[in-house]
Amino acid sequence: KAGVTQTPRYLIKTRGQQVTLSCSPISGHRSVSWYQQTPGQGLQFLFEYFSETQRNKGNFPGRFSGRQFSNSRSEMNVSTLELGDSALYLCASSPGGSEQFFGPGTRLTVL
Amino acid sequence: AQKITQTQPGMFVQEKEAVTLDCTYDTSDQSYGLFWYKQPSSGEMIFLIYQGSYDEQNATEGRYSLNFQKARKSANLVISASQLGDSAMYFCAMREGQKGGGGSNYKLTFGKGTLLTVNP
């Protein structure tokens, strides 16, 4: 079974731009979660989707948004990028049990 | 208050020796789960081991075992027979939340991590 895939793996943007990151979960997994990892704040939960519905949301500004499609693939969007948005963005999928399987991440650099 | 505390920013261990990575947690939920993940320099989070709050036995997965002491709210990871490839960041995480129909409704809260270095 293929693992969680994230595209792109690396991204460089400038302040004020917007960005869309994509995550394809493991086949059959309906839950997708997003996390932001920075050296200062560590790993922080962004949001979780299940069957196209956002079930849980972390403490991030409204510039961070996401969605999930009927095939469980998920996208997250960050508008009006700030320097502090530079981070590794990790996506995780779950079959609905206790485990979450992470993808390799997208490393976003904002200049 | 931090929900997950990992007090060891860095640890060193000799190859083939055992090492314990500390994790304490704080929750008022009766039902919760505790996880350990490994993150090599490549960035991918690798699931190692899981312990449910109602599990009476300590979880084990190969060379990994979780020393779960519920009353002390600790969930330490023990790696036996360390290998050079074990050098990485290790994160303890907790799941709180309710089980919903068709799946779990939860998020993971992570600790700050422990950087483990295995010396030859």
Side-chain angles (χ1 to χ4, degrees):
Chain A
K1 232 181 201 181
V4 179
T5 58
Q6 291 187 246
T7 56
R9 294 292 311 278
Y10 301 91
L11 206 48
I12 299 175
K13 292 285 187 178
T14 56
R15 277 181 301 174
Q17 287 187 310
Q18 76 164 17
V19 66
T20 299
L21 312 182
S22 180
C23 171
S24 292
I26 293 171
S27 177
H29 289 194
R30 294 162 64 188
S31 170
V32 173
S33 300
W34 289 89
Y35 294 83
Q36 181 198 62
Q37 186 178 24
T38 60
Q41 299 299 317
L43 278 148
Q44 293 184 284
F45 173 80
L46 280 156
F47 26 65
E48 183 215 354
Y49 287 87
F50 182 85
S51 292
E52 302 178 66
T53 300
Q54 187 182 88
R55 295 198 300 190
N56 225 330
K57 190 176 190 302
N59 294 325
F60 279 81
R63 299 185 297 108
F64 292 82
S65 62
R67 59 178 175 168
Q68 187 180 33
F69 301 95
S70 58
N71 62 358
S72 293
R73 188 178 70 86
S74 177
E75 290 181 346
M76 68 162 280
N77 184 276
V78 188
S79 61
T80 320
L81 284 166
E82 300 177 0
L83 295 178
D85 297 334
S86 293
L88 179 67
Y89 290 88
L90 291 160
C91 164
S93 78
S94 171
S98 303
E99 295 172 84
Q100 279 193 324
F101 299 89
F102 282 80
T106 294
R107 192 166 295 279
L108 171 65
T109 302
V110 182
L111 303 176
Chain B
Q2 287 187 48
K3 289 205 168 187
I4 296 286
T5 302
Q6 294 181 254
T7 57
Q8 307 151 315
M11 287 282 285
F12 293 88
V13 66
Q14 287 298 121
E15 195 178 5
K16 298 180 186 176
E17 292 187 351
V19 63
T20 297
L21 306 184
D22 294 341
C23 173
T24 58
Y25 60 92
D26 182 28
T27 180
S28 56
D29 282 3
Q30 295 301 307
S31 176
Y32 54 89
L34 297 156
F35 301 75
W36 277 92
Y37 284 88
K38 171 185 177 181
Q39 188 178 44
S41 55
S42 60
E44 186 167 358
M45 298 286 282
I46 302 167
F47 167 78
L48 295 178
I49 198 165
Y50 167 80
Q51 179 87 40
S53 58
Y54 293 119
D55 295 340
E56 295 186 354
Q57 303 277 355
N58 284 344
T60 60
E61 290 284 350
R63 294 186 300 111
Y64 304 106
S65 60
L66 199 153
N67 184 359
F68 181 45
Q69 298 187 44
K70 196 169 181 177
R72 298 178 62 182
K73 294 190 175 179
S74 76
N76 298 339
L77 176 71
V78 180
I79 305 175
S80 62
S82 296
Q83 302 172 355
L84 295 178
D86 293 336
S87 293
M89 280 291 287
Y90 287 80
F91 291 94
C92 178
M94 178 170 63
R95 167 189 61 81
E96 299 170 289
Q98 305 293 325
K99 268 198 180 286
S104 296
N105 177 11
Y106 62 86
K107 69 177 187 181
L108 291 180
T109 302
F110 285 86
K112 295 292 187 186
T114 295
L115 180 60
L116 177 66
T117 302
V118 180
N119 294 317

